[in-house]
Amino acid sequence: MSGITRYPSFNVLDEKDAWDDHTQQIVTSRNQSIDKYQFLSEREAEILRSICSLLVDDSSPDALAFVISHIDKTLYSSPGEGQRKVGVPAASELIRQGLKAMEQSSQHMYSISFAELETVKQKNMLKDISEVKAEPSAIWNRVPQKALFEKLMRLTVESYCSHPQVWSDIGYAGPAYPRGYVRTQLGQLDPWEAKTENEA
Amino acid sequence: MKRKYANEEVDAVIVGAGAAGGVLAKELSEAGLSVVVLDAGPLRDPQKDFASDELSMKSLGWQDTRIVDGTDPLTMGHNNSGRGVGGGTVHFTAVFLRFQDVDFQGKTIDGIGEDWPISYEDLEPYYTRTEKDIAVSGPKHFPWGHYNGPYPYPEREPLSPNAYMFMNGCDKLGIRSSVAPLAILSAPFEGRPPCINRGFCNQGCMPDSKFSTLIVHIPKAIKAGAEVLPDCMVTQVLMGKDGLAKGVTFVHNGKPYEQKAKMVIISAFVVETPRLLLNSANEQFPDGLANSSGMVGKSIMVHSSNDVYAKFDDEIRLYKGTPVLATTLDFYRTDPKRDFVRGYTLHSHGARPVEFANGVSKAQGGPIWGERFRQALLDYNHYGRVTLVGEVMPNMNNRVTLADEKDEYGLPRAKVTFSYGENDRKLIKHAERTMSSILEAEGGKVEFVVPDTAHMAGGCRMGNNPADSVVNSYGQSHDIPNLYVCDASIFVTSGAGNPTNTVMSLALRTAEYIVEKMKKRELQTSRG
Ligand SMILES: Cc1cc2nc3c(=O)[nH]c(=O)nc-3n(C[C@H](O)[C@H](O)[C@H](O)COP(=O)(O)OP(=O)(O)OC[C@H]3O[C@@H](n4cnc5c(N)ncnc54)[C@H](O)[C@@H]3O)c2cc1C
Ligand code: SF4
C-alpha cells in the first residue's frame, strides 16, 4: 500500500452511536466476514482479491473481504446493472469469462496461476487489459477488455469506498443523521470530524 | 393485492409517481377525479428505508439494465433515473431553476435548435405556483433569467466549504455567483424541518427537509382519495377498438392485473415512457402508440455534466453540506464571441467517497487506478469540485428503441443510444476551462476532469405539428386524445439548467387542462 493516512487516530466507527439505526446496521455489517460465496468459486475469489487489491492499491484484508463479498453478491443476484453496452455480456458472464482469461493467460505465459504471479506481472496484465492490449488473442478475442476493466473497477471502487476503514483512512466523517454538519465555513470542523495529524 | 378500483373504471390512471406523476396525482385528485397511480418501484419510508450511505442507496435508482449505445453511451441507473414512489425527486440534488426564454425559443432567438410550442410566459404562473407549493429557498436577488426573486423562503445559510471556495473563486474572476435556489427548506414548512447540511441529498433526505413528491405530493393525493399502488410495473396501455385508451395492464409480485380508466397518463420518464408506448404496439398502432410521427423515443437529450476536481493545500471536505449550494448562470446564453451556441450552468458540487472515487477512476487520460487512485483517495479532503450542467442539442439519432433482450417481465429492454454533437463538445471544452479557472483562482490545482452526464429529457416531444411531435403542449397525444404523456420526455430542448421545476410546472399546466376538459365534458373516452 502506498501513501499514508493524514488521520491515523481517526476511527469513523467511534461515532456510530450518533448515527440513525439503519445506517449503523448497514455500515457495521461491512466488517463481518462471510465464509461462503454464492457465485464465485474459491479460485475466482482468490484471483479477484489480487486484482481488487491492485486496483485500489491497498491490501487491507477487511476492506478487501468486503469488496469480494460485494462482488459475489452482485453477480449472484443483482437488480440490474443500470446499463450495459451493446454487445457486452451480462456482468456475471463478463467477470467469469474475464477471470478465466486472466488465469489462462497467466498459465500460458508463466505457467502459474494469476493469484501466484509476481505483483509486477499481475499489474502489467491489468494495465494491458485497461488498454485493450491483453495477449494472446486466442484467449482474449472473445472478452471485451475495456468493459471488463471498467466493471471490475466500478464494483471494486463502490464497495471499497463504502468500507468504514477506508472512511477512517481518508478522514471522511460520513453519516450525519440526525445531527448534521454545523460548522461548515472553510477550515471549520465539527468536533467529531477527523483532524489532520500528518501533512502528506 | 388490496385495491380500491379493481373492477372499476377510474377517471385517470397515472403511470409513474415521480416529479410529474406526483404533481398530477395531487392536482387531479384534489379536483375530485378518481385517480390510480402505479409505480414500478416501492413506497419508501424515509426514516426506515433511507440511510446515510451511498452504496446501499444505489437502490433509489432504476437499476434494471438498459442497453446503451452510441459514441457516448450513457451511465443510467442512479445517475439519471429514479425508481419508486417519488421517482427521481427522491434522490435528486434539488437545484430548482426556471428555464429562460431561449430555452423555449432557441431557434427563433439563436437560429438553431428547436422551438417549443410554448414560451416562458406561458409557464411563468406555474413556476410561481410550484415554487410556492414546496417553499423553494433562494436568494432575495437572483441575478439571471426572468425571475430575480425573492424566493418563497430565504436562501440557505450557512453554505458548505466547497460552495464558499466556488463563490470566492468566481468573485476573483468577476463571475457573478449566487446561493442556488433549492427545493430544500431553510426554515420549517408544513411540519417539515429545515436542512441540517448532512449532505446526502442523492441518497434520500432522512429529515424530510428536501422536497420530493414522495413526501409532499403523494401524501396529499392520497388524502384527496387517490390510490397509489407501489411495486406495480405497467407493461402495456390497453386500447379499445375505437382507437382510444382503455386502461393499463401491470404486474405486481409476478401476477398480471388491469386497471381501467377514462384517461391514461404516462409519467414514466424519458426511457420508460417511450418504451411503454413502443411495447404497447398493436394491430391498429403497429409502430407503437402515439407514434404516427415516428418521434416516439427520438431526440432524447441529457445535460453534459463534466466535473473538474482540483486539489488544494488546505482542506475543503467535499462531504460537508448539501451537495449544491452555489451556482453561476453567467454562461447560460449564447455569446457570439464563443465558437458554439447556447450555454451552461455551473454548480459547486460536493461528493461523498464513492462518487468521488468513481469519478476519479474514469477521469480523462485514465483509467486511474493503483497508486494514483490511492493517492487521490488519501487526498480526498483536499479536493474541491465544480460541475457542469450544459445544454445538449436535440438530435434525432439520439433515441430510445427496443432491444432484442428481454427483462424479468418478458418485455424487450430499452436500448438508449447517445452521441454528443459538435456544438455539445465545444460547449464542454469551454465549460471545462471556466470550471478550471474558478478552481485555480482559489489556489486549486486541477487534477481530474471527468466526463459525465446528468438528467434526461425528450423522447416524446411536444409540438403543434402532429407530423413531427408526439403530444401537444399539454401532453395530450396527437393520435390518441385520451392518452397523455407528462414528464421530462415531452421537452423539446434540454435547456441550459436543471429541469425539474419545468417538469413540475408543465404537470401543473397539464392538470389544469385536464380538469377543465373534465368540467366541460370534452373528454373522449373509449367505448370498448
Ligand atoms: C442524481 C440526480 C440528481 C438530480 N438533480 C437534479 C437537480 O438538482 N435539479 C433538477 O431540476 N433535477 C435534478 N434531477 C432530475 C430529476 O430527478 C428529473 O428531472 C425528474 O425526476 C424527472 O421527472 P419525471 O416525472 O419526468 O420522471 P421521474 O421523476 O423519474 O419519475 C418516473 C417514475 O416512473 C416510474 N416508472 C417508470 N416506468 C414505469 C412503468 N412501466 N410502470 C410503473 N411505473 C414506472 C418510475 O419508477 C419513477 O418513479 C436529478 C436526477 C438525478 C437522478
Ligand atoms: S443536505 Fe439537507 S436536504 Fe440534503 S439530505 Fe441532508 S438534510 Fe436533506
Side-chain angles (χ1 to χ4, degrees):
Chain A
M1 175 175 45
S2 67
I4 51 156
T5 170
R6 291 182 159 86
Y7 317 96
S9 47
F10 178 67
N11 181 354
V12 72
L13 289 178
D14 289 347
E15 292 294 325
K16 69 175 189 309
D17 293 338
W19 308 344
D20 64 278
D21 293 344
H22 191 214
T23 303
Q24 264 192 60
Q25 175 244 315
I26 290 171
V27 177
T28 52
S29 75
R30 292 178 181 153
N31 261 329
Q32 287 151 16
S33 61
I34 56 139
D35 34 43
K36 222 172 145 43
Y37 298 117
Q38 291 174 290
F39 177 83
L40 299 168
S41 68
E42 281 301 326
R43 191 88 191 136
E44 287 171 326
E46 202 185 338
I47 300 175
L48 260 180
R49 192 166 309 143
S50 327
I51 297 171
C52 298
S53 156
L54 290 172
L55 290 177
V56 296
D57 192 26
D58 183 2
S59 47
S60 334
D62 292 351
L64 285 178
F66 175 62
V67 169
I68 307 305
S69 84
H70 170 72
I71 296 179
D72 179 64
K73 220 164 60 195
T74 308
L75 300 182
Y76 179 72
S77 75
S78 131
E81 301 180 59
Q83 72 290 322
R84 183 186 339 120
K85 279 180 204 157
V86 77
V88 171
S92 49
E93 206 184 320
L94 176 68
I95 301 276
R96 181 147 277 163
Q97 278 180 9
L99 295 178
K100 195 168 144 208
M102 291 170 86
E103 182 63 13
Q104 283 177 345
S105 303
S106 176
Q107 294 287 358
H108 175 86
M109 289 190 288
Y110 311 107
S111 308
I112 54 168
S113 163
F114 182 87
E116 276 113 50
L117 213 55
E118 290 160 59
T119 312
V120 197
K121 290 185 174 140
Q122 289 179 330
K123 257 194 209 167
N124 281 338
M125 195 188 299
L126 277 176
K127 183 160 182 287
D128 286 344
I129 296 170
S130 77
E131 294 167 0
V132 197
K133 285 184 194 153
E135 299 273 9
S137 60
I139 291 173
W140 283 100
N141 63 7
R142 278 191 316 278
V143 185
Q145 298 177 46
K146 187 160 179 273
L148 171 66
F149 189 89
E150 282 171 5
K151 183 61 82 181
L152 285 168
M153 192 68 193
R154 195 167 172 105
L155 289 170
T156 304
V157 166
E158 68 185 15
S159 46
Y160 179 73
C161 293
S162 297
H163 196 271
Q165 188 191 317
V166 177
W167 294 358
S168 302
D169 282 352
I170 68 176
Y172 167 60
Y177 181 67
R179 68 180 157 192
Y181 288 101
V182 178
R183 294 169 51 82
T184 59
Q185 300 288 333
L186 278 161
Q188 282 187 338
L189 293 180
D190 283 314
W192 42 276
E193 294 185 78
K195 283 166 206 66
T196 305
E197 297 161 54
N198 299 323
E199 283 300 341
Chain B
M1 179 176 40
K2 231 181 85 203
R3 290 175 62 192
K4 211 163 144 183
Y5 303 107
N7 302 308
E8 275 174 63
E9 182 188 64
V10 289
D11 290 326
V13 62
I14 302 173
V15 181
V23 169
L24 286 164
K26 168 181 177 292
E27 293 299 313
L28 296 183
S29 54
E30 285 180 351
L33 276 69
S34 55
V35 173
V36 172
V37 193
L38 301 161
D39 200 283
L43 176 73
R44 299 178 180 94
D45 173 349
Q47 284 295 309
K48 292 205 201 92
D49 298 324
F50 295 171
S52 305
D53 181 64
E54 293 174 274
L55 184 60
S56 52
M57 291 297 108
K58 263 179 79 176
S59 61
L60 300 179
W62 187 281
Q63 291 176 286
D64 204 20
T65 307
R66 273 90 173 240
I67 306 298
V68 291
D69 201 1
T71 51
D72 304 281
L74 299 176
T75 302
M76 308 294 299
H78 185 277
N79 181 52
N80 58 19
S81 340
R83 184 185 182 112
V85 177
T89 64
V90 171
H91 78 279
F92 87 145
T93 317
V95 178
F96 222 67
L97 301 175
R98 296 181 181 200
F99 276 4
Q100 301 182 11
D101 56 1
V102 280
D103 296 314
F104 300 100
Q105 254 64 61
K107 190 169 186 180
T108 304
I109 296 174
D110 288 335
I112 192 159
E114 304 277 344
D115 282 350
W116 295 45
I118 50 169
S119 65
Y120 174 80
E121 283 73 32
D122 291 315
L123 216 50
E124 178 166 29
Y126 303 96
Y127 278 137
T128 305
R129 234 189 93 194
T130 301
E131 287 161 5
K132 205 166 141 259
D133 280 354
I134 59 172
V136 170
S137 65
K140 275 213 193 75
H141 179 78
F142 189 65
W144 308 276
H146 316 297
Y147 179 71
N148 305 111
Y151 281 88
Y153 264 38
E155 67 183 22
R156 288 282 308 285
E157 140 78 44
L159 307 179
S160 65
N162 191 56
Y164 290 118
M165 175 280 293
F166 173 85
M167 293 180 93
N168 293 343
C170 287
D171 275 354
K172 287 202 178 127
L173 298 173
I175 297 170
R176 292 172 298 171
S177 66
S178 166
V179 176
L182 295 167
I184 295 177
L185 297 179
S186 56
F189 177 71
E190 295 185 343
R192 292 161 45 214
C195 167
I196 53 171
N197 246 343
R198 65 186 257 279
F200 285 90
C201 297
N202 298 136
Q203 284 67 41
C205 180
M206 296 185 78
D208 284 351
S209 312
K210 187 187 81 169
F211 140 84
S212 71
T213 54
L214 167 66
I215 60 163
V216 176
H217 296 77
I218 290 296
K220 288 178 182 167
I222 292 173
K223 200 163 158 228
E227 182 180 48
V228 177
L229 297 174
D231 300 306
C232 292
M233 174 76 177
V234 174
T235 49
Q236 212 167 26
V237 177
L238 287 168
M239 293 297 297
K241 288 197 182 63
D242 53 8
L244 290 164
K246 284 198 311 194
V248 297
T249 56
F250 61 95
V251 176
H252 176 75
N253 280 340
K255 277 215 212 99
Y257 297 87
E258 269 185 32
Q259 177 64 56
K260 295 215 169 60
K262 294 198 173 85
M263 133 182 53
V264 174
I265 308 176
I266 308 182
S267 300
F269 198 47
V270 172
V271 178
E272 297 306 317
T273 289
R275 179 174 175 230
L276 180 57
L277 291 174
L278 296 172
N279 272 331
S280 299
N282 60 22
E283 255 170 48
Q284 199 183 351
F285 299 96
D287 301 322
L289 304 182
N291 198 20
S292 64
S293 62
M295 283 303 294
V296 169
K298 277 197 189 146
S299 220
I300 57 160
M301 293 155 286
V302 293
H303 283 128
S304 48
S305 185
N306 300 44
D307 300 299
V308 178
Y309 286 97
K311 200 179 144 190
F312 292 81
D313 288 340
D314 295 326
E315 291 181 330
I316 301 280
R317 301 207 183 218
L318 278 171
Y319 60 84
K320 293 182 76 167
T322 301
V324 174
L325 281 160
T327 190
T328 178
L329 275 65
D330 255 8
F331 307 90
Y332 199 93
R333 300 170 73 97
T334 300
D335 178 346
K337 291 199 292 286
R338 302 185 201 134
D339 63 349
F340 60 92
V341 292
R342 312 306 321 280
Y344 55 85
T345 297
L346 299 179
H347 301 311
S348 70
H349 204 312
R352 274 123 288 282
V354 173
E355 188 185 358
F356 172 78
N358 260 333
V360 164
S361 75
K362 41 178 212 177
Q364 277 170 20
I368 311 287
W369 58 283
E371 278 163 46
R372 184 147 181 236
F373 173 84
R374 171 81 184 162
Q375 196 51 55
L377 208 51
L378 288 171
D379 294 335
Y380 165 68
N381 278 343
H382 286 253
Y383 277 92
R385 160 162 91 150
V386 182
T387 290
L388 165 66
V389 176
E391 168 140 17
V392 163
M393 289 289 155
N395 175 343
M396 297 285 192
N397 298 321
N398 291 333
R399 58 191 297 200
V400 174
T401 51
L402 300 178
D404 296 331
E405 194 180 312
K406 303 267 166 60
D407 71 0
E408 60 175 303
Y409 307 101
L411 298 172
R413 289 192 188 283
K415 179 171 161 190
V416 182
T417 306
F418 181 78
S419 311
Y420 281 126
E422 207 185 308
N423 194 74
D424 307 331
R425 290 185 201 282
K426 286 181 180 162
L427 181 153
I428 292 169
K429 277 276 153 271
H430 190 275
E432 285 175 353
R433 282 197 299 274
T434 313
M435 292 191 278
S436 300
S437 64
I438 293 169
L439 292 156
E440 284 161 357
E442 274 304 279
K445 183 170 171 291
V446 171
E447 296 277 353
F448 302 106
V449 178
V450 183
D452 202 1
T453 62
H455 316 141
M456 297 188 85
C460 287
R461 75 177 184 197
M462 61 162 85
N464 291 327
N465 183 356
D468 65 11
S469 60
V470 179
V471 297
N472 66 20
S473 74
Y474 297 100
Q476 185 177 26
S477 71
H478 295 305
D479 300 346
I480 302 165
N482 69 340
L483 174 66
Y484 286 75
V485 175
C486 185
D487 56 24
S489 74
I490 67 177
F491 280 32
V492 179
T493 59
S494 74
N498 306 55
T500 306
N501 196 355
T502 302
V503 173
M504 292 171 65
S505 300
L506 285 172
L508 278 183
R509 187 168 175 272
T510 292
E512 202 177 83
Y513 176 81
I514 290 173
V515 170
E516 237 1 77
K517 283 222 158 234
M518 284 296 260
K519 274 197 200 134
K520 291 191 195 146
R521 303 186 180 282
E522 281 174 7
L523 198 81
Q524 277 175 274
T525 57
S526 177
R527 285 173 219 283

